[in-house]
């Protein structure tokens, strides 16, 4: 094509022209791009091109060879990592500039003045485009957020200037499917989700199906729950916390009373003697040093036993899985907290039993239910639980 779309003026191109050019570039791609940015600069450097926003998969498998670099319409390379900021390599399209030095090392490119100006300009144009889309038609922007959210978060994590620009259009999504800016969400939950230390706590889930019961318990208390299920979210959460946006806690990290500490104390229906008698029974049933047993004065309608994992330890492991300097956490053994609800009727009934064998059987069944809810009951233990459940059907 001797007259490719990027050499023409935006006013001379229709929406179909941009779509057809995308097909020309990527004939084997079936998804339509979400939107595009037309670059056209002649001072203080020369730059033309068209960049497209593709739909990103949540598995975060970036293809960093989708931007083609040209110099006066002569193809140079599709490896542009040293020319544009890393997060922009997730985009597709073409950039054409005679001002980018060729046949030089990547380290030289990164220090070249023109390259820096071009990279900064492209970053600004991308930020401006997203800002424009959000404020011109927020409803349409929200329909695209699930596809572009990963890109925006990656940009905020890797480029401070883009981070500042993105604060106004970066969205958080709750389990009801509603979207909020960072400022809007803090205003929403601050009245009810501020702990005794004055810190606003954002509750979140990475799986609404697995955490259905935990979400229901949070909603009973008037709490809102975010959905953060992308592979970058552990890093994204850390970044927001470092900027004092809020404190984040996943629903399965602890009891609700511990996740958002309030001043009111709940009393225990179990005596200290009950606890001392029950603890070794529970530990013998678990028979695993990975589980640490503790008693908590929870609400009577909370779960009788809750198995949780430290927010810090789990998050560090998630961050190590996608890189970021926490590789040592990947080798750490999994540790879990077994929290026994001292006010649940089932626990009170078990504690009152005189038949030790019956008590052990009921403890095992209760613990197995908690393990099952956490997805930790597997293999022989799961088979025995199923068979034991069948025998209880009269």
């Amino acid at each position: 094509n001797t007259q490719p779309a990027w050499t023409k003026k935006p006013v001379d191109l229709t929406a179909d022209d941009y779509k057809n050019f995308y097909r020309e570039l990527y004939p084997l791609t079936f998804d339509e791009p979400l939107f595009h940015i037309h670059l056209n600069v002649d001072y203080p450097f020369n730059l033309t091109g068209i960049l497209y926003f593709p739909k990103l998969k949540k598995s975060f498998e970036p293809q960093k060879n989708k931007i083609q670099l040209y110099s006066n319409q002569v193809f140079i390379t599709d490896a542009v990592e040293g020319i544009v900021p890393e997060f922009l390599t997730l985009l597709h399209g073409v950039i054409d500039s005679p001002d980018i030095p060729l046949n030089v090392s990547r380290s030289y490119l990164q220090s070249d003045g023109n390259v820096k100006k071009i990279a900064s300009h492209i970053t600004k144009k991308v930020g401006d485009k997203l800002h424009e889309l959000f404020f011109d038609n927020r409803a349409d922007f929200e329909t695209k957020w699930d596809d572009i959210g990963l890109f925006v978060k990656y940009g905020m994590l890797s480029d401070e200037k883009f981070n500042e620009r993105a604060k106004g259009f970066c969205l958080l999504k709750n389990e009801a499917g509603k979207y909020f800016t960072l400022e809007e969400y803090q205003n929403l939950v601050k009245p009810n989700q501020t702990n005794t230390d004055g810190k606003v706590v954002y509750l979140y889930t990475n799986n609404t199906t697995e955490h259905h019961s935990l979400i229901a318990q949070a909603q009973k208390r008037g709490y809102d729950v975010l959905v953060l299920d992308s592979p970058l979210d552990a890093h994204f959460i850390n970044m927001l916390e470092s900027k004092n946006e809020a404190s984040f806690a996943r629903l399965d990290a602890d009891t609700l009373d511990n996740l958002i500490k309030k001043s009111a104390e709940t009393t225990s229906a179990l005596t200290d003697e009950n606890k001392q008698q029950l603890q070794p029974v529970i530990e013998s049933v678990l028979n695993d040093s990975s589980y640490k047993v503790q008693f908590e004065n929870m609400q009577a309608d909370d779960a009788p036993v809750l198995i949780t994992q430290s927010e810090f330890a789990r998050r560090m492991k998630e961050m190590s899985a996608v890189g970021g300097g926490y590789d040592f956490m990947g080798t750490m053994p999994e540790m879990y907290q077994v929290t026994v609800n001292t006010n649940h009727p089932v626990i009170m009934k078990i504690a009152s039993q005189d038949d030790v064998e019956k008590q052990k059987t009921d403890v095992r069944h209760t613990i197995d239910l908690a393990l099952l809810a956490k997805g930790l009951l597997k293999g022989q233990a799961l088979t025995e639980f199923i068979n034991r459940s069948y025998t209880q059907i009269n």
Side-chain angles (χ1 to χ4, degrees):
N1 187 347
T2 58
Q3 290 186 316
W6 82 81
T7 64
K8 301 176 182 179
K9 295 180 180 179
V11 294
D12 297 329
L13 296 170
T14 66
D16 285 339
D17 290 331
Y18 285 109
K19 289 181 180 179
N20 291 336
F21 182 56
Y22 188 77
R23 292 277 168 243
E24 187 179 324
L25 290 172
Y26 314 106
L28 299 180
T29 300
F30 299 103
D31 287 335
E32 293 285 347
L34 297 168
F35 43 84
H36 66 270
I37 299 171
H38 197 131
L39 305 168
N40 193 358
V41 183
D42 55 18
Y43 182 82
F45 50 82
N46 291 293
L47 174 69
T48 56
I50 301 173
L51 295 177
Y52 294 92
F53 278 74
K55 291 184 177 180
L56 295 179
K57 298 177 181 178
K58 285 189 176 180
S59 57
F60 191 56
E61 299 171 355
Q63 294 178 297
K64 297 184 177 182
N65 59 346
K66 290 295 187 177
I67 295 180
Q68 300 174 15
L69 173 65
Y70 287 75
S71 179
N72 291 322
Q73 294 182 236
V74 177
F75 175 74
I76 305 301
T77 182
D78 57 8
V80 297
E81 291 94 329
I83 300 166
V84 301
E86 185 179 0
F87 78 100
L88 294 181
T89 60
L90 299 182
L91 301 182
H92 295 178
V94 169
I95 54 177
D96 187 333
S97 176
D99 292 330
I100 296 176
L102 307 174
N103 300 320
V104 294
S105 67
R106 290 288 169 199
S107 59
Y108 180 87
L109 278 176
Q110 291 170 353
S111 62
D112 182 81
N114 272 338
V115 171
K116 286 184 175 180
K117 291 176 184 177
I118 290 171
S120 179
H121 176 78
I122 295 174
T123 300
K124 182 179 184 303
K125 289 288 287 185
V126 169
D128 289 347
K129 180 68 173 182
L130 291 168
H131 183 271
E132 173 191 327
L133 290 169
F134 176 72
F135 286 97
D136 285 355
N137 190 341
R138 175 166 175 167
D140 183 62
F141 186 86
E142 288 181 357
T143 66
K144 294 181 171 68
W145 180 254
D146 288 353
D147 292 309
I148 66 171
L150 193 64
F151 169 83
V152 174
K153 291 173 183 178
Y154 190 23
M156 293 178 72
L157 285 165
S158 57
D159 190 288
E160 189 59 35
K161 288 184 179 179
F162 183 80
N163 186 305
E164 288 300 314
R165 184 62 164 152
K167 283 182 179 179
F169 56 75
C170 177
L171 298 180
L172 298 174
K173 177 184 176 182
N174 70 5
E175 59 80 32
K178 295 181 180 179
Y179 296 86
F180 307 87
T181 65
L182 299 178
E183 183 179 2
E184 288 170 350
Y185 195 73
Q186 185 169 66
N187 292 335
L188 174 74
V189 302
K190 188 174 183 179
N192 198 36
Q193 292 180 210
T194 300
N195 63 20
T196 53
D197 295 326
K199 191 75 173 178
V200 181
V201 180
Y202 292 0
L203 299 175
Y204 72 98
T205 175
N206 70 325
N207 191 313
T208 55
T209 302
E210 289 184 4
H211 294 161
H212 181 270
S213 63
L214 298 176
I215 292 171
Q217 290 294 335
Q219 290 174 336
K220 281 183 181 179
R221 304 193 190 187
Y223 297 155
D224 194 78
V225 179
L226 292 171
V227 178
L228 295 169
D229 56 1
S230 86
L232 282 182
D233 278 333
H235 286 282
F236 180 67
I237 287 168
N238 254 31
M239 182 268 293
L240 291 180
E241 287 182 335
S242 70
K243 295 179 180 295
N244 295 316
E245 294 290 346
S247 174
F248 286 76
R250 206 168 83 178
L251 284 173
D252 61 343
D254 209 328
T255 66
L256 277 174
D257 288 333
N258 284 336
L259 294 179
I260 304 180
K261 288 186 177 292
K262 301 289 186 177
S263 56
E265 292 289 338
T266 305
T267 58
S268 172
L270 291 186
T271 65
D272 289 342
E273 184 180 353
N274 292 146
K275 297 174 188 176
Q276 291 170 5
Q277 189 267 331
L278 268 181
Q279 182 152 346
V281 177
I282 296 171
E283 289 174 345
S284 68
V285 167
L286 287 165
N287 194 28
D288 190 333
S289 59
S290 300
Y291 296 93
K292 182 180 178 182
V293 178
Q294 69 174 17
F295 291 86
E296 284 280 345
N297 305 339
M298 300 160 62
Q299 303 294 326
D301 58 352
D302 286 339
V305 176
L306 186 66
I307 296 179
T308 59
Q309 190 174 23
S310 159
E311 174 76 19
F312 173 81
R314 194 211 65 252
R315 196 190 299 178
M316 294 303 104
K317 277 183 172 288
E318 291 172 352
M319 292 171 71
S320 72
V322 292
Y326 297 92
D327 293 346
F328 68 96
M329 292 299 298
T331 61
M332 298 292 286
E334 300 284 3
M335 300 296 294
Y336 299 94
Q337 190 79 40
V338 180
T339 303
V340 181
N341 184 354
T342 62
N343 290 312
H344 197 281
V346 167
I347 300 301
M348 293 165 60
K349 181 179 179 181
I350 292 174
S352 67
Q353 290 172 345
D354 294 325
D355 187 333
V356 177
E357 290 305 314
K358 170 64 174 168
Q359 190 178 56
K360 285 185 178 180
T361 299
D362 289 348
V363 165
R364 179 174 297 280
H365 204 72
T366 306
I367 293 294
D368 282 352
L369 285 169
L371 291 168
L372 187 66
K374 184 67 176 174
L376 296 172
L377 192 64
K378 300 175 182 178
Q380 181 180 347
L382 177 58
T383 301
E384 291 175 352
F385 169 78
I386 293 171
N387 292 333
R388 187 168 66 249
S389 299
Y390 285 146
T391 63
Q392 294 181 2
I393 300 175
N394 296 320

